Amino acid sequence: PHDAMEVVHALPVPAADGVMTVHRCGEVRLWQTGVGALRRRLHDWRELVGWREDAATSRRDASGDVSGDVSGRIHDGFASPLPASMPKHGRVDASRAPHVGGNTWAGGTG
């Protein structure tokens, strides 16, 4: 038997700065492989978790790459951009339509 996640096709996607893979199970994935896109996603992640680099141990070269010992850490007490004052109750859908994922609707599965 073949592994369902086996890659059967891999295609470059220059417009998306990445590679698209098609798996035996029919799943299609877009992998970001471009340096610019990866830097942006890393920056977004660091902002999300409150990551701060120790400026004394890391240096940036002319291209912005970090060299040396990059000892960053996630700061305790990082203020969330949207502090919660109490648990949230989602919106109630009058049509009672099923909702999957997200955090908008009450009674969803996500």
Side-chain angles (χ1 to χ4, degrees), residues 71-89:
S71 57
R73 62 180 184 265
I74 297 173
H75 284 250
D76 290 333
F78 175 68
S80 170
L82 299 172
S85 60
M86 63 179 169
K88 176 187 169 201
H89 184 272

Side-chain angles (χ1 to χ4, degrees), residues 20-104:
M20 180 178 64
T21 57
V22 179
H23 300 262
R24 184 165 302 285
C25 65
E27 184 172 307
V28 177
R29 291 184 178 192
L30 178 61
W31 301 87
Q32 290 182 325
T33 58
V35 173
L38 293 174
R39 278 191 183 138
R40 285 189 301 276
R41 297 301 173 256
L42 178 59
H43 176 266
D44 293 346
W45 176 82
R46 286 179 172 170
E47 288 291 315
L48 179 70
V49 300
W51 180 272
R52 300 292 181 263
E53 289 181 15
D54 182 346
T57 59
S58 65
R59 306 282 183 262
R60 294 193 181 273
D61 64 20
S63 71
D65 288 336
V66 176
S67 62
D69 176 25
V70 181
S71 57
R73 62 180 184 265
I74 297 173
H75 284 250
D76 290 333
F78 175 68
S80 170
L82 299 172
S85 60
M86 63 179 169
K88 176 187 169 201
H89 184 272
R91 291 175 37 201
V92 176
D93 184 352
S95 72
R96 303 183 70 117
H99 295 280
V100 179
N103 61 0
T104 299

